[in-house]
Amino acid sequence: MSKDPLVIFTPSGKRGNFPVGTPILTAARQLGVDLDSVCGGRGICSKCQITPSYGEFSKHGVTVADNALSEWNSVEERYDQKRGLPKGRRLGCQATVQGDIVIDVPPESQVHKQVVRKRAEVRNILMNPTVKLYYVEVKEPDMHEPSGDLERLRVGLKEQWNIDVPRADPHVLTHLQQALRKGAWKVTIAVHQGHAEASASIMQVWPGYYEGSLYGLAVDLGSTTIAGHLCDLQTGEVVASSGLMNPQIRFGEDLMSRVSYSMMNPNGAAEMTASVRAGMNGLFDQVASEAGIDKTLIMDAVFVCNPVMHHLFLGIDPFELGQAPFALATSDALRLEARDLDLELHPSARVYTLPCIAGHVGADAAAVALSEAPDKSDDLALIVDVGTNAEILLGNKTKVLACSSPTGPAFEGAQISSGQRAAPGAIERVEIDPETKEPRFRVIGSDLWSDDENFAEAIATTGITGICGSGIIEAIAEMRLAGIVDASGLIGSAAQVGTERCITDGRTHSYMMWDGSADGGPTITVTNPDIRAIQMAKAALYSGARLLMDKFDVATVDRIVLAGAFGAHISPKHAMVLGMIPDCKIEKVTSAGNAAGTGARIALLNSEARAEIEATVRKIVKVETAVEPRFQEHFVNASAIPNAVEPFPILESIVSLPKVSFNSGEERGGGRRRRRN
Amino acid sequence: MSKDPLVIFTPSGKRGNFPVGTPILTAARQLGVDLDSVCGGRGICSKCQITPSYGEFSKHGVTVADNALSEWNSVEERYDQKRGLPKGRRLGCQATVQGDIVIDVPPESQVHKQVVRKRAEVRNILMNPTVKLYYVEVKEPDMHEPSGDLERLRVGLKEQWNIDVPRADPHVLTHLQQALRKGAWKVTIAVHQGHAEASASIMQVWPGYYEGSLYGLAVDLGSTTIAGHLCDLQTGEVVASSGLMNPQIRFGEDLMSRVSYSMMNPNGAAEMTASVRAGMNGLFDQVASEAGIDKTLIMDAVFVCNPVMHHLFLGIDPFELGQAPFALATSDALRLEARDLDLELHPSARVYTLPCIAGHVGADAAAVALSEAPDKSDDLALIVDVGTNAEILLGNKTKVLACSSPTGPAFEGAQISSGQRAAPGAIERVEIDPETKEPRFRVIGSDLWSDDENFAEAIATTGITGICGSGIIEAIAEMRLAGIVDASGLIGSAAQVGTERCITDGRTHSYMMWDGSADGGPTITVTNPDIRAIQMAKAALYSGARLLMDKFDVATVDRIVLAGAFGAHISPKHAMVLGMIPDCKIEKVTSAGNAAGTGARIALLNSEARAEIEATVRKIVKVETAVEPRFQEHFVNASAIPNAVEPFPILESIVSLPKVSFNSGEERGGGRRRRRN
């Protein structure tokens, strides 16, 4: 008796012998090969497309004859005519084994396909959403065996897909009977399979085979902005992205002023909750309209946010977060329904919020940890997400530490005399000639530098309106590199520095970046109070990082990841000149973009990633900066702007710093500051 | 070394040896003795009261010394002064073992206490509600171990009560932090423990020790009336009962007319759903106000109803129930939240609906099965719940059959010329003298018979307004017994019967029950069409019962239970004379009162009863009368009103029937009817 034909699947390499006539989909299932199917092998969904390979495969030790698969059949022909099958493709449920064969499963036919992320250094997302589609044939009712339509649907699901779904969401009952009859007892259902099998539930029923997609939302709920990505839950593709200002801004620009608002107003927290939820529903309208889909097809949503936003969004008064011991109402991940939060999506859309790490380190930091995975890193990674609060993670495979540091809003352009948000017209890049002390800069909205001959024309519509966060950092760092500012943060006088751009401004000096007054425009200067504000902010950031390094018992880190929108725009060189971040080789400083948003997207598309980040967060060592004496100590020492002679390391590898000293008070100035702190 | 003292608990008989100093509560827990405690042995809740017994117990082989328990302590003293401890009682958490001792656990200290039902023949309800209280001491927050308040509460619950509650209902998060701080980190929580451990959830948090009660509702949602019982979930006591007319009546008196309404009106089903839910909320207001409690303390509700009401209440169009194969949208029990049904109770109150047995045999019949437990009966029990539809159960320990039969509204006084609902003024009891053919009767609202000299005075306020369902049955049965009606249902003429009360009424005769016309009151007669209507209704009921007997392969049943309000008022003797129910010894015919309501109450108070009835319903053999040829056959044969010479058995044990025959057309009359059917 001859042996059954050998079937080899690529790229998995799984192989087995199957009797002649076995459908490829059946062989794949028996071998545990990741081959998709929504219709269960009925030739309807075409998700099981495969590419057979013919010829000699010395690597696999087989030769595949031309007739190793059954002939193209009428189901494939019909599908090809109706929708078109790519050349060389077959339907895995139709093509049967006739001889030894090598079958390639293309990425789009894999259930657990990978969503390729733009930045190659970060792992891709494995698809495994919590909501999936199943095509089910249901037994017709029999008055002698009077079980309900739902119960027969569940039996079909068990028989045809081997999954137990103990219940249906209540609203499903209202459309179930019609769908079954309209689809002639064939329906497609969306099933939510959460972490516990007992909580699996049917979310929706469509008559016949449902051709559409299901959608999910990954939302990064920031204090200032809310950003949402609408994702296709089958392909993982981002189909629309949108953002809006957090409408809570009218209750307070920063988090602590919102906490105060809730303390001063009896219904303050409830007002803010209603406001952010209304904003959220507006965002959903935007993304749904951008993608041209019905909002009720959005079946799942993942939210990441800092602890105060987390509480306000959930309807919890953030009062306790405003004072030690900064107790969270709940720190674990939450699995809710959209209706619990007054969100208008699918009637029983699910909601997942990532766990909070600590009272100051929120679900957004957890999302960064999920995206950047320091717990999987061989080298020691410092990850900083810079915002009004900086969340800082330090770790490698052995352990991960986390803290937050109150940087305040200076990095976002607030508290800066000419500061503004990152918007067209804002100075975002600065260079100062160390010889002439003359600046050149770029503003948002144009790629030209200010010394380009076409610059004036390029910025005609936006004008030059102020300096944004990344601009002020570059300006101060360049001022320091050009010898305009000393290590203590004092701007020299025109005489000391040797440029008329240094002007007297009260008891200190300012540096004139741009004088538009001749044309009725603004005068943009960097003042000494501006430098003080940035010094405070960067000292907080630096001190948090140093505190974690102390706790980790290291003096240096292997690499630094700058996360967040601000992190994406900041220049690593200037950040290091300023002393925002510890010393590190410049090429080892990378930007992760909106890592919190990416983490939310991973949690949306892969339910196992949820369990994973929950376990990771439980293991993260939390460090509370507010009560760490070492933090205060680092803070006091970190306000200076480093150069080669300072105790703060660095930078030889990047630039050679001129050693400047305006007056003999420099050391004393530093000393006074230390005492005042 | 001497042996540890022996502790014997009564009534359980559990015993064990425990070291001197062991609290009685601890000993009880280790032995698995059913001794309650909400505070976990902290001397706060006093639920663990026990009664020590002293002296010689030859039965148990011990002699209990006076000092077998530790002395009365300050906690007990304080409690006694504050609330009073009944004489002889000790607190089980305070009194410790000092020597051999016999401890009685009084019923009110048992967790699984029994709620004694009024009717002794039916098993009592074992308390095991799905919502229970726990007193928990919670660790204070520590910013170095920044877990959330909820997470620490869950840890306390696990440590102090050994139960895992994976989550809290979303609204709990909004009051958790305040409650913990107000109660100085001691709280009482209500936990919902459903069927699956994964679905356990914290429903409410109170600061400190919560002294109040929790409540649940058992609701019997009928086509005509809605009746609700508000129960204390700790004692099982019914604290308030109320009822109202089903507001859906304006869409149709009977179920089929409501199904038609939904077919004829695009929003018909939705309108009816909104209407019954609004009515339900009104009922909740009534019972809560009657009991003087806040509706938000109602944490659980159980609903029983027929399939059409079941669907309309759940928001499902009952269209499919109006036609073969009578497919239910869902037949299983449902575990929902009150908000799913727009019910205004506790914000996350749970709802349980019993399973439906078949498209015509609803959750109300399942509740009757739970209450009357034919599946636990040694003898063969026939249980009929008479309403617009009659649900019929027949079974014993070996198997249970169920069917429903379309009796129509005649038994409720509809379709009867002088018919009315059972309300003051309605004739409810009738006797007719076989010799004189003169009637005497009683009306609702008075205990006097109409031949009492004070009768006129007694009914002065109500008057005599009509005949209710039980009244018409007695009237017709008595008319048959008095020879006024023949077996085919024809009323004889005055000449034939020998009384002027038989009056000519069109082509047939009527019997004058009451002539109030002299005083401007109504004339109450029993007409031949009245008898036809009752014949149709009783034939349907009888045929259903007979069909089940055929399926069970028996010719007689051991006992008959009449359930429902109508069943409670009906006279077994007259029901048998009429041929409503099969032959059975009269003393074996009992009334179960509102058995469906009782079943709802059992399911409310005992979560295991829910699993039990779900399993029972799965095993019940469903019989669909609509397609059973035997049903039609029985129906045709059952329209006659039996007497001793009829093929339908009976009654020798009760009455000796006069054999009357008005005319020779009797047999033909029956024959014609048969052909017409």
Side-chain angles (χ1 to χ4, degrees), chain A residues 595-616:
Chain A
T598 301
R601 206 149 61 83
I602 295 173
L604 175 68
L605 298 178
N606 186 327
S607 59
E608 280 141 33
R610 300 183 183 184
E612 190 188 298
I613 189 59
E614 289 166 29
T616 302

PDB file of all heavy atoms in Angstrom, chain A residues 595-616:
ATOM      1  N   ALA A 595       4.167  56.213  21.124  1.00  0.00           N
ATOM      2  CA  ALA A 595       4.272  54.835  21.606  1.00  0.00           C
ATOM      3  C   ALA A 595       3.039  54.438  22.406  1.00  0.00           C
ATOM      4  O   ALA A 595       2.613  53.278  22.365  1.00  0.00           O
ATOM      5  CB  ALA A 595       5.526  54.676  22.455  1.00  0.00           C
ATOM      6  N   ALA A 596       2.444  55.386  23.123  1.00  0.00           N
ATOM      7  CA  ALA A 596       1.239  55.057  23.897  1.00  0.00           C
ATOM      8  C   ALA A 596       0.109  54.654  22.953  1.00  0.00           C
ATOM      9  O   ALA A 596      -0.598  53.670  23.175  1.00  0.00           O
ATOM     10  CB  ALA A 596       0.816  56.238  24.765  1.00  0.00           C
ATOM     11  N   GLY A 597      -0.030  55.409  21.865  1.00  0.00           N
ATOM     12  CA  GLY A 597      -1.050  55.080  20.872  1.00  0.00           C
ATOM     13  C   GLY A 597      -0.767  53.730  20.228  1.00  0.00           C
ATOM     14  O   GLY A 597      -1.686  52.945  19.959  1.00  0.00           O
ATOM     15  N   THR A 598       0.508  53.457  19.972  1.00  0.00           N
ATOM     16  CA  THR A 598       0.864  52.162  19.389  1.00  0.00           C
ATOM     17  C   THR A 598       0.532  51.037  20.360  1.00  0.00           C
ATOM     18  O   THR A 598       0.011  49.990  19.967  1.00  0.00           O
ATOM     19  CB  THR A 598       2.370  52.135  19.050  1.00  0.00           C
ATOM     20  OG1 THR A 598       2.624  53.198  18.140  1.00  0.00           O
ATOM     21  CG2 THR A 598       2.762  50.806  18.423  1.00  0.00           C
ATOM     22  N   GLY A 599       0.811  51.267  21.629  1.00  0.00           N
ATOM     23  CA  GLY A 599       0.479  50.256  22.632  1.00  0.00           C
ATOM     24  C   GLY A 599      -1.014  49.991  22.665  1.00  0.00           C
ATOM     25  O   GLY A 599      -1.461  48.847  22.786  1.00  0.00           O
ATOM     26  N   ALA A 600      -1.792  51.058  22.541  1.00  0.00           N
ATOM     27  CA  ALA A 600      -3.249  50.891  22.525  1.00  0.00           C
ATOM     28  C   ALA A 600      -3.662  50.047  21.326  1.00  0.00           C
ATOM     29  O   ALA A 600      -4.536  49.176  21.426  1.00  0.00           O
ATOM     30  CB  ALA A 600      -3.932  52.259  22.465  1.00  0.00           C
ATOM     31  N   ARG A 601      -2.993  50.293  20.190  1.00  0.00           N
ATOM     32  CA  ARG A 601      -3.341  49.559  18.970  1.00  0.00           C
ATOM     33  C   ARG A 601      -2.975  48.071  19.108  1.00  0.00           C
ATOM     34  O   ARG A 601      -3.714  47.191  18.659  1.00  0.00           O
ATOM     35  CB  ARG A 601      -2.621  50.190  17.776  1.00  0.00           C
ATOM     36  CG  ARG A 601      -3.308  49.976  16.463  1.00  0.00           C
ATOM     37  CD  ARG A 601      -3.064  51.133  15.511  1.00  0.00           C
ATOM     38  NE  ARG A 601      -1.659  51.316  15.209  1.00  0.00           N
ATOM     39  CZ  ARG A 601      -1.006  50.607  14.276  1.00  0.00           C
ATOM     40  NH1 ARG A 601      -1.621  49.686  13.583  1.00  0.00           N
ATOM     41  NH2 ARG A 601       0.250  50.849  14.030  1.00  0.00           N
ATOM     42  N   ILE A 602      -1.837  47.810  19.741  1.00  0.00           N
ATOM     43  CA  ILE A 602      -1.441  46.409  19.958  1.00  0.00           C
ATOM     44  C   ILE A 602      -2.489  45.717  20.831  1.00  0.00           C
ATOM     45  O   ILE A 602      -2.939  44.610  20.546  1.00  0.00           O
ATOM     46  CB  ILE A 602      -0.043  46.335  20.626  1.00  0.00           C
ATOM     47  CG1 ILE A 602       1.026  46.881  19.683  1.00  0.00           C
ATOM     48  CG2 ILE A 602       0.279  44.898  21.031  1.00  0.00           C
ATOM     49  CD1 ILE A 602       2.410  47.012  20.317  1.00  0.00           C
ATOM     50  N   ALA A 603      -2.904  46.394  21.910  1.00  0.00           N
ATOM     51  CA  ALA A 603      -3.890  45.796  22.817  1.00  0.00           C
ATOM     52  C   ALA A 603      -5.232  45.593  22.113  1.00  0.00           C
ATOM     53  O   ALA A 603      -5.969  44.659  22.409  1.00  0.00           O
ATOM     54  CB  ALA A 603      -4.073  46.662  24.054  1.00  0.00           C
ATOM     55  N   LEU A 604      -5.528  46.478  21.161  1.00  0.00           N
ATOM     56  CA  LEU A 604      -6.778  46.341  20.415  1.00  0.00           C
ATOM     57  C   LEU A 604      -6.746  45.112  19.514  1.00  0.00           C
ATOM     58  O   LEU A 604      -7.723  44.388  19.402  1.00  0.00           O
ATOM     59  CB  LEU A 604      -7.022  47.600  19.575  1.00  0.00           C
ATOM     60  CG  LEU A 604      -8.233  47.551  18.639  1.00  0.00           C
ATOM     61  CD1 LEU A 604      -9.523  47.541  19.452  1.00  0.00           C
ATOM     62  CD2 LEU A 604      -8.228  48.727  17.667  1.00  0.00           C
ATOM     63  N   LEU A 605      -5.614  44.913  18.864  1.00  0.00           N
ATOM     64  CA  LEU A 605      -5.558  43.889  17.813  1.00  0.00           C
ATOM     65  C   LEU A 605      -5.140  42.523  18.321  1.00  0.00           C
ATOM     66  O   LEU A 605      -5.270  41.528  17.617  1.00  0.00           O
ATOM     67  CB  LEU A 605      -4.603  44.347  16.700  1.00  0.00           C
ATOM     68  CG  LEU A 605      -5.023  45.633  15.980  1.00  0.00           C
ATOM     69  CD1 LEU A 605      -3.993  46.032  14.944  1.00  0.00           C
ATOM     70  CD2 LEU A 605      -6.398  45.463  15.326  1.00  0.00           C
ATOM     71  N   ASN A 606      -4.615  42.483  19.526  1.00  0.00           N
ATOM     72  CA  ASN A 606      -4.131  41.198  20.034  1.00  0.00           C
ATOM     73  C   ASN A 606      -4.544  41.017  21.489  1.00  0.00           C
ATOM     74  O   ASN A 606      -3.990  41.646  22.389  1.00  0.00           O
ATOM     75  CB  ASN A 606      -2.601  41.142  19.898  1.00  0.00           C
ATOM     76  CG  ASN A 606      -2.072  39.773  20.276  1.00  0.00           C
ATOM     77  OD1 ASN A 606      -2.610  39.096  21.144  1.00  0.00           O
ATOM     78  ND2 ASN A 606      -1.017  39.368  19.608  1.00  0.00           N
ATOM     79  N   SER A 607      -5.521  40.144  21.695  1.00  0.00           N
ATOM     80  CA  SER A 607      -6.044  39.988  23.058  1.00  0.00           C
ATOM     81  C   SER A 607      -4.992  39.401  23.991  1.00  0.00           C
ATOM     82  O   SER A 607      -5.020  39.667  25.194  1.00  0.00           O
ATOM     83  CB  SER A 607      -7.302  39.120  23.052  1.00  0.00           C
ATOM     84  OG  SER A 607      -7.027  37.857  22.517  1.00  0.00           O
ATOM     85  N   GLU A 608      -4.057  38.613  23.454  1.00  0.00           N
ATOM     86  CA  GLU A 608      -3.023  38.065  24.340  1.00  0.00           C
ATOM     87  C   GLU A 608      -2.088  39.154  24.850  1.00  0.00           C
ATOM     88  O   GLU A 608      -1.538  39.048  25.951  1.00  0.00           O
ATOM     89  CB  GLU A 608      -2.215  36.982  23.629  1.00  0.00           C
ATOM     90  CG  GLU A 608      -2.955  35.660  23.625  1.00  0.00           C
ATOM     91  CD  GLU A 608      -2.790  34.918  22.311  1.00  0.00           C
ATOM     92  OE1 GLU A 608      -1.711  35.050  21.694  1.00  0.00           O
ATOM     93  OE2 GLU A 608      -3.753  34.249  21.886  1.00  0.00           O
ATOM     94  N   ALA A 609      -1.921  40.199  24.028  1.00  0.00           N
ATOM     95  CA  ALA A 609      -1.070  41.307  24.475  1.00  0.00           C
ATOM     96  C   ALA A 609      -1.656  41.960  25.728  1.00  0.00           C
ATOM     97  O   ALA A 609      -0.936  42.532  26.541  1.00  0.00           O
ATOM     98  CB  ALA A 609      -0.913  42.336  23.360  1.00  0.00           C
ATOM     99  N   ARG A 610      -2.978  41.850  25.886  1.00  0.00           N
ATOM    100  CA  ARG A 610      -3.610  42.430  27.077  1.00  0.00           C
ATOM    101  C   ARG A 610      -3.164  41.664  28.324  1.00  0.00           C
ATOM    102  O   ARG A 610      -2.762  42.271  29.316  1.00  0.00           O
ATOM    103  CB  ARG A 610      -5.139  42.379  26.953  1.00  0.00           C
ATOM    104  CG  ARG A 610      -5.647  43.147  25.745  1.00  0.00           C
ATOM    105  CD  ARG A 610      -7.169  43.147  25.663  1.00  0.00           C
ATOM    106  NE  ARG A 610      -7.586  43.834  24.434  1.00  0.00           N
ATOM    107  CZ  ARG A 610      -8.840  44.078  24.107  1.00  0.00           C
ATOM    108  NH1 ARG A 610      -9.820  43.693  24.905  1.00  0.00           N
ATOM    109  NH2 ARG A 610      -9.137  44.708  22.982  1.00  0.00           N
ATOM    110  N   ALA A 611      -3.248  40.369  28.253  1.00  0.00           N
ATOM    111  CA  ALA A 611      -2.813  39.558  29.397  1.00  0.00           C
ATOM    112  C   ALA A 611      -1.327  39.807  29.659  1.00  0.00           C
ATOM    113  O   ALA A 611      -0.890  39.889  30.816  1.00  0.00           O
ATOM    114  CB  ALA A 611      -3.077  38.086  29.110  1.00  0.00           C
ATOM    115  N   GLU A 612      -0.601  39.956  28.560  1.00  0.00           N
ATOM    116  CA  GLU A 612       0.846  40.147  28.673  1.00  0.00           C
ATOM    117  C   GLU A 612       1.184  41.459  29.397  1.00  0.00           C
ATOM    118  O   GLU A 612       1.967  41.468  30.351  1.00  0.00           O
ATOM    119  CB  GLU A 612       1.402  40.173  27.244  1.00  0.00           C
ATOM    120  CG  GLU A 612       2.875  40.134  27.112  1.00  0.00           C
ATOM    121  CD  GLU A 612       3.241  40.360  25.634  1.00  0.00           C
ATOM    122  OE1 GLU A 612       2.852  39.542  24.771  1.00  0.00           O
ATOM    123  OE2 GLU A 612       3.893  41.377  25.351  1.00  0.00           O
ATOM    124  N   ILE A 613       0.564  42.557  28.993  1.00  0.00           N
ATOM    125  CA  ILE A 613       0.918  43.830  29.625  1.00  0.00           C
ATOM    126  C   ILE A 613       0.401  43.869  31.067  1.00  0.00           C
ATOM    127  O   ILE A 613       1.020  44.479  31.943  1.00  0.00           O
ATOM    128  CB  ILE A 613       0.435  45.046  28.801  1.00  0.00           C
ATOM    129  CG1 ILE A 613       1.015  46.338  29.384  1.00  0.00           C
ATOM    130  CG2 ILE A 613      -1.082  45.131  28.741  1.00  0.00           C
ATOM    131  CD1 ILE A 613       2.533  46.377  29.406  1.00  0.00           C
ATOM    132  N   GLU A 614      -0.717  43.171  31.328  1.00  0.00           N
ATOM    133  CA  GLU A 614      -1.203  43.127  32.704  1.00  0.00           C
ATOM    134  C   GLU A 614      -0.194  42.419  33.607  1.00  0.00           C
ATOM    135  O   GLU A 614       0.079  42.858  34.724  1.00  0.00           O
ATOM    136  CB  GLU A 614      -2.566  42.416  32.765  1.00  0.00           C
ATOM    137  CG  GLU A 614      -3.676  43.268  32.159  1.00  0.00           C
ATOM    138  CD  GLU A 614      -4.966  42.496  31.896  1.00  0.00           C
ATOM    139  OE1 GLU A 614      -5.235  41.523  32.612  1.00  0.00           O
ATOM    140  OE2 GLU A 614      -5.692  42.875  30.955  1.00  0.00           O
ATOM    141  N   ALA A 615       0.388  41.339  33.096  1.00  0.00           N
ATOM    142  CA  ALA A 615       1.401  40.616  33.874  1.00  0.00           C
ATOM    143  C   ALA A 615       2.661  41.475  34.014  1.00  0.00           C
ATOM    144  O   ALA A 615       3.263  41.549  35.092  1.00  0.00           O
ATOM    145  CB  ALA A 615       1.725  39.292  33.192  1.00  0.00           C
ATOM    146  N   THR A 616       3.046  42.144  32.931  1.00  0.00           N
ATOM    147  CA  THR A 616       4.241  42.994  32.977  1.00  0.00           C
ATOM    148  C   THR A 616       4.071  44.106  34.004  1.00  0.00           C
ATOM    149  O   THR A 616       4.963  44.371  34.809  1.00  0.00           O
ATOM    150  CB  THR A 616       4.493  43.619  31.579  1.00  0.00           C
ATOM    151  OG1 THR A 616       4.635  42.553  30.642  1.00  0.00           O
ATOM    152  CG2 THR A 616       5.748  44.482  31.577  1.00  0.00           C
TER     153      THR A 616
END
